[in-house]
């Protein structure tokens, strides 16, 4: 087992590589069309069809509109889930058993069902 926590291990092994790929796409497009134009394409101010290298700019546009929100949302979801799991006091079996007890219909005073 590694000395890193699961969160740090995930961030160093998976998240870094995805972030590097996203950054590489942006940097290559920025070198071709300019840094401000690449930024404007990425956040949606400018259309990718309006720049000098539209093919790569479409990739930057997709990164800006799809990949970055998915990456941020996935990372936040993962970190929130880890925090919830760390603070959970009852196991899943205990919760399921408690819910089953609550779902049983109460009996009347003669021992029959209501």
């Amino acid at each position: 087992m590694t000395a890193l926590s699961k969160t740090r291990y995930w961030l160093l092994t998976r998240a870094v590589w995805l972030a590097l790929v996203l950054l590489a796409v942006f940097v290559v497009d920025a070198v071709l069309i300019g840094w401000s134009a690449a930024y404007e394409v990425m956040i949606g101010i400018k259309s990718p069809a309006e720049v000098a290298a539209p093919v790569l700019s479409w990739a930057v546009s997709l990164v800006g509109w799809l990949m970055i929100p998915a990456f941020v949302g996935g990372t936040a979801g993962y970190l929130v889930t880890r925090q919830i799991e760390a603070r959970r006091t009852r196991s899943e079996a205990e919760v399921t058993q408690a819910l089953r007890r609550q779902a049983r219909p109460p009996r009347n005073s003669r021992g029959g069902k209501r």
Side-chain angles (χ1 to χ4, degrees):
M1 186 76 179
T2 180
L4 298 173
S5 69
K6 287 183 179 181
T7 304
R8 287 189 181 116
Y9 180 79
W10 180 82
L11 287 171
L12 290 174
T13 59
R14 304 253 168 85
V16 168
W17 293 109
L18 184 58
L20 288 174
V21 169
L22 300 178
L23 182 64
V25 170
F26 177 76
V27 168
V28 170
D29 192 50
V31 168
L32 293 175
I33 67 171
W35 293 97
S36 63
Y39 173 75
E40 289 174 353
V41 168
M42 185 178 72
I43 63 171
I45 293 174
K46 188 182 283 189
S47 170
E50 297 175 1
V51 295
V55 175
L56 189 57
S57 294
W58 280 107
V60 169
S61 180
L62 287 174
V63 164
W65 281 95
L66 298 175
M67 297 299 290
I68 291 175
F71 177 74
V72 170
T75 302
Y78 177 80
L79 294 174
V80 167
T81 300
R82 295 286 300 144
Q83 290 299 317
I84 290 171
E85 288 174 353
R87 286 162 178 74
R88 185 172 288 152
T89 58
R90 297 193 316 183
S91 70
E92 184 179 348
E94 291 172 328
V95 172
T96 304
Q97 194 174 37
L99 289 173
R100 286 186 181 147
R101 277 195 308 267
Q102 290 175 357
R104 289 187 188 137
R107 298 185 174 267
N108 63 16
S109 61
R110 291 183 271 170
K113 292 183 180 177
R114 289 187 185 182

